[in-house]
Amino acid sequence: MGRARLAALHGVATSYEPSPGDGVPVPEDTVVAVLAALGVDASTPRSVRDALEAHARAERSRLLPATVVLRSEPPGTAPAPAPRALPEGTALRVDTEDGDSLPWTHGDAAPALPLGRHLLCAHAPDGRTATASLIVAPRRLPAPPERGHGFLVQLYSLLSARSWGMGDLGDLAELAAWSGRAFGSDFVQVNPLHAAVPGSGRAPTDPSPYRPSSRRFPDPVHLRVEDVTEFAYLTGAHRDRADQLLTRAAALRDAVLTKGELIDRDAVWALKRRALELVRAVPMAPGRRAAYDAFLTGQGQALDDHSTWCALAEVHGPDWRSWPGGLKDPRSARTAQARGELLDRVDFHCWLAWLTDQQLAAAQRAAREAGMRVGLVHDLAVGVHPSGADAWAQQDAFAAGMSVGAPPDAFNSRGQDWGLPPWRPDALEATGYGPYRDLLRALLRHAGALRVDHVMGLFRLWWVPQGREPAEGTYVRYDPEAMLGVLALEAHRANAAVVGEDLGTVGPGVREALAERGVLGTSVLWFERDYGRADGGPAEPLEPARWRAECLATATTHDLPSTAARLTGDHVELRHRLGLLGRPLAEEQREDAREVAEWLALFGRLGLLPEGPYDEEAAVRAVHRYLLMTPARMTGVWLPDTVGDRRPQNLPGTWDQYPNWRLPIADASGRPVSLEELTVSPRLHALMEAVRGRGRDAGGPPAGRR
């Protein structure tokens, strides 16, 4: 009982419910290991008693928690509540981030608190004093201005005639400018552009954008080298070498687009790095130099840490846990010495971060100038690689020996281990949620909206102790009021909407809490069924009017089959070839065909499929016409769907059996399709005319069909 009580005090679950009413106990060894990662010894009955007593003493002695989160109240409403039970007569003062000081006597109405991150100071009659980070957040996040549609794309897969073997930020700007003007699109959602952990020796870079080195800084592999201002001023031998690199880049591009080879991220970066090292030798004009210096000042210690890790990784390999001596500590004297010795390389990586930031800004600017009301929708991965820059620079914020994953469910009986160290909730609170706030601020610099992968992680995460099976993990609770409050504050400051990926196992009350704060959900057509029928019958496709309005509605995602593959059953054949089916092929095919037939029948009843159910292209259009009949605030079109691509970009459950994250967009025959070809594709134009035919802000079924 004592250990369970101690676990509850620290937000560690001792049981969980994979389905309502079906309780599963967590192994005691797991609870002990997770508490140890939070700095709490629960290994023996005596240590449990000591930890409980220590916790009680700390609670009695402290006036304030480390962080207080309040929601901003409209004028005339009830005052903000006191942060906790305080002794009568305790004087409170709020030192705002703008330098103002607002007195607040406990028991009186709260002063009008501005939005922001402030310092709350307390002085009790008995002489005790305390300070806490005070976060005052808006009640709701910004929403997209009006209903709209846009493309979803994995940027690396979108090659143009100017790409160096994979899609880049120049391609993103072109896609946004074209789709905004040609189809009235409001946004382009991209995969995480986070910096990757580089490969070493024979080990290539992990191509997954969801296991990055750093979530705060983007990867310079996405740079369009020719768009760097100084590139145009290369002369002499440097120009000759740059031209040679351009020729080799064209060969990489042609290998993908004409020969059908996979995207080779490492080969692309090898060429770009050499070209950028040439460009860096060109002196910057005074205005450019001043802009770079301002960027360095604004990014501060975080950029210095990130660039130092990059420079050290070039010398010692990309896993900081194997580095020699004091280099494992970013604040050690040895690291400071190494930073000085590698100053030129550190500055090179700082410069790359600045260039990437500039091109992200240019892409968002192109989107807005094309009439997009949202523009770029960036993606926040759920975690970082344990050997990468963020894990090195923020070691105190991550739980050592733990990995994020998922418990067993209907789709994976063993559970999942994603290999990502989780943030410690106590460390976040102790720092006023600084690492989280800074991350959000960086991602929202050039975004009209942000997609949060596995948004349920703002409430709880499944922690798996190192060396244990995923099923032997447990949930650890985060403070959702704080996590959502910081998110709301940073989104408000950026005037950006937030989309939460809330697919899969969702805890009780999570979707309701997200909706209350204005976080849009994610609704994928094939999962939208009436699972709560009163008669207990099979779940039928949900009528469009019954969809939630506050969501991004899509036909598929990067982890799911394309729409053409779903309609034709190709995705079942693919999983069969790779040995991923849990049932006999014929049984899986029958079930899949039945589900597709139900949806096609609904489309027919709604008048969305006049061509009949046997025309694949027409069926894809019907899917998107249906999505636009729902009240969904945002409708996303998976860009590979526009040309009939059959292949998923990522196939969960595979590693080297399938080329995850390395496929260019292709047509129905598997032939790669460039950005230029996309823009003139009759199939794409027919689909987008169907989408645009609903008109901006259209909603609900056609007249006579409500």
Side-chain angles (χ1 to χ4, degrees):
M1 290 296 293
R3 185 173 286 151
R5 183 172 160 224
L6 185 62
L9 289 171
H10 292 277
V12 179
T14 54
S15 65
Y16 69 98
E17 293 187 351
S19 58
D22 181 18
V24 176
V26 173
E28 284 200 10
D29 287 351
T30 295
V31 175
V32 171
V34 170
L35 283 170
L38 293 169
V40 179
D41 184 1
S43 58
T44 67
R46 176 60 183 270
S47 65
V48 169
R49 287 195 300 271
D50 290 347
L52 286 169
E53 291 172 3
H55 187 275
R57 285 194 303 271
E59 285 297 300
R60 287 193 301 269
S61 64
R62 69 175 183 168
L63 285 174
L64 297 172
T67 300
V68 176
V69 180
L70 299 176
R71 300 190 194 189
S72 178
E73 300 290 347
T77 60
R84 61 186 288 150
L86 294 170
E88 190 65 32
T90 298
L92 298 174
R93 186 184 76 251
V94 177
D95 295 339
T96 72
E97 62 183 13
D98 293 329
D100 295 329
S101 184
L102 305 174
W104 176 11
T105 300
H106 179 42
D108 293 346
L113 298 174
L115 296 176
R117 181 176 181 268
H118 317 302
L119 183 69
L120 177 64
C121 307
H123 193 289
D126 60 9
R128 287 181 297 159
T129 61
T131 60
S133 295
L134 174 62
I135 297 168
V136 181
R139 296 194 64 82
R140 287 181 62 83
L141 287 83
E146 298 175 69
R147 292 190 69 206
H149 61 80
F151 285 126
L152 318 177
V153 63
Q154 300 282 294
L155 180 56
Y156 59 83
S157 72
L158 179 69
L159 281 75
S160 74
R162 298 182 180 181
S163 303
W164 287 34
M166 62 182 282
D168 60 34
L169 292 171
D171 298 322
L172 178 59
E174 291 295 334
L175 175 66
W178 166 69
S179 60
R181 291 186 172 91
F183 306 118
S185 297
D186 272 323
F187 62 89
V188 174
Q189 177 184 300
V190 294
N191 55 287
L193 303 181
H194 308 322
V197 175
S200 62
R202 296 182 179 180
T205 298
D206 183 347
S208 172
Y210 291 93
R211 204 162 180 251
S213 171
S214 174
R215 294 187 293 176
R216 176 160 178 175
F217 294 100
D219 199 310
V221 75
H222 301 112
L223 284 170
R224 171 70 63 81
V225 176
E226 301 95 314
D227 286 354
V228 177
T229 299
E230 288 75 24
F231 182 85
Y233 296 95
L234 288 170
T235 58
H238 282 186
R239 167 56 63 186
D240 292 340
R241 291 214 297 271
D243 288 343
Q244 293 169 7
L245 291 171
L246 284 170
T247 300
R248 294 174 62 185
L252 275 182
R253 177 177 63 246
D254 292 343
V256 175
L257 289 178
T258 64
K259 299 178 183 177
E261 295 183 11
L262 298 177
I263 292 168
D264 188 339
R265 180 192 182 102
D266 287 338
V268 172
W269 177 236
L271 294 182
K272 287 190 176 183
R273 185 184 66 245
R274 291 172 197 156
L276 289 163
E277 286 167 344
L278 294 173
V279 172
R280 185 165 173 256
V282 178
M284 282 190 279
R288 294 264 294 168
R289 167 57 66 177
Y292 176 47
D293 290 343
F295 179 78
L296 293 177
T297 300
Q299 297 301 310
Q301 185 69 54
L303 178 58
D304 191 45
D305 286 343
H306 173 72
S307 299
T308 298
W309 181 92
C310 292
L312 288 170
E314 291 177 338
V315 177
H316 301 289
D319 187 350
W320 63 268
R321 297 167 298 184
S322 67
W323 290 353
L327 295 181
K328 296 177 184 178
D329 179 359
R331 302 291 168 256
S332 73
R334 178 68 187 93
T335 298
Q337 178 186 355
R339 183 183 294 115
E341 294 167 352
L342 298 171
L343 190 59
D344 184 67
R345 296 306 294 175
V346 172
D347 184 65
F348 176 66
H349 290 288
C350 288
W351 179 70
L352 294 180
W354 174 61
L355 295 180
T356 313
D357 183 79
Q358 283 195 317
Q359 292 195 7
L360 281 169
Q364 174 66 352
R365 188 163 56 248
R368 299 305 292 268
E369 289 174 354
M372 288 190 169
R373 294 179 292 200
V374 174
L376 303 185
V377 182
H378 288 294
D379 197 349
L380 171 61
V382 71
V384 296
H385 198 289
S387 71
D390 285 1
W392 175 71
Q394 302 173 14
Q395 292 173 48
D396 292 343
F398 289 100
M402 294 290 141
S403 178
V404 174
D409 57 25
F411 299 99
N412 195 321
S413 60
R414 294 184 60 253
Q416 300 174 57
D417 183 345
W418 301 333
L420 310 170
W423 265 333
R424 289 179 54 163
D426 58 331
L428 289 178
E429 182 189 8
T431 60
Y433 291 83
Y436 175 51
R437 180 191 68 245
D438 293 343
L439 168 61
L440 292 173
R441 189 168 296 177
L443 286 171
L444 289 165
R445 276 172 63 85
H446 308 301
L450 178 67
R451 175 189 181 270
V452 179
D453 190 42
H454 193 69
V455 73
M456 296 80 78
L458 302 183
F459 296 76
R460 65 180 186 179
L461 282 172
W462 184 258
W463 287 24
V464 181
Q466 189 173 26
R468 294 187 177 274
E469 292 296 317
E472 297 179 278
T474 190
Y475 280 115
V476 175
R477 187 177 67 248
Y478 293 76
D479 182 350
E481 187 67 20
M483 299 296 280
L484 287 171
V486 174
L487 178 61
L489 177 61
E490 295 306 323
H492 168 82
R493 286 176 157 167
N495 192 28
V498 175
V499 178
E501 186 270 297
D502 57 352
L503 304 173
T505 302
V506 183
V510 168
R511 285 198 174 104
E512 292 78 6
L514 292 170
E516 179 194 3
R517 298 304 293 267
V519 177
L520 304 183
T522 300
S523 294
V524 177
L525 180 133
W526 308 100
F527 302 152
E528 292 297 311
R529 289 176 169 268
D530 185 2
Y531 294 105
R533 286 182 52 174
D535 61 5
E540 296 179 346
L542 204 61
E543 293 286 338
R546 295 182 59 194
W547 282 46
R548 54 181 170 172
E550 302 304 309
C551 75
L552 166 65
T554 72
T556 189
T557 72
H558 57 268
D559 283 334
L560 296 172
S562 70
T563 303
R566 178 78 70 169
L567 291 167
T568 59
D570 281 11
H571 69 109
V572 179
E573 290 279 359
L574 173 62
R575 292 178 63 82
H576 171 66
R577 291 197 302 272
L578 296 175
L580 299 176
L581 295 183
R583 297 180 296 179
L585 174 61
E587 186 177 340
E588 293 273 4
Q589 289 175 323
R590 282 195 300 271
E591 177 69 13
D592 184 68
R594 180 188 64 79
E595 292 182 359
V596 170
E598 289 175 345
W599 281 103
L600 292 175
L602 176 58
F603 300 156
R605 291 196 301 273
L606 294 172
L608 303 177
L609 197 51
E611 302 90 343
Y614 304 109
D615 185 325
E616 177 199 312
E617 291 188 39
V620 173
R621 292 194 294 270
V623 164
H624 291 85
R625 290 188 184 110
Y626 172 91
L627 292 175
L628 287 158
M629 291 179 67
T630 74
R633 187 173 281 273
M634 299 173 73
T635 301
V637 179
W638 178 236
L639 190 58
D641 273 350
T642 64
V643 287
D645 200 340
R646 296 287 202 274
R647 309 159 309 166
Q649 282 293 313
N650 178 51
L651 190 57
T654 63
W655 178 244
D656 56 1
Q657 309 97 315
Y658 186 80
N660 296 317
W661 317 112
R662 289 175 288 167
L663 293 171
I665 295 173
D667 63 17
S669 68
R671 183 186 67 83
V673 178
S674 69
L675 173 59
E676 290 81 6
E677 290 175 305
L678 278 167
T679 64
V680 295
S681 164
R683 179 165 179 160
L684 180 146
H685 278 266
L687 173 58
M688 294 310 296
E689 284 306 312
V691 170
R692 194 180 188 188
R694 303 283 313 158
R696 263 185 171 176
D697 315 319
R705 293 195 176 274
R706 283 195 185 276

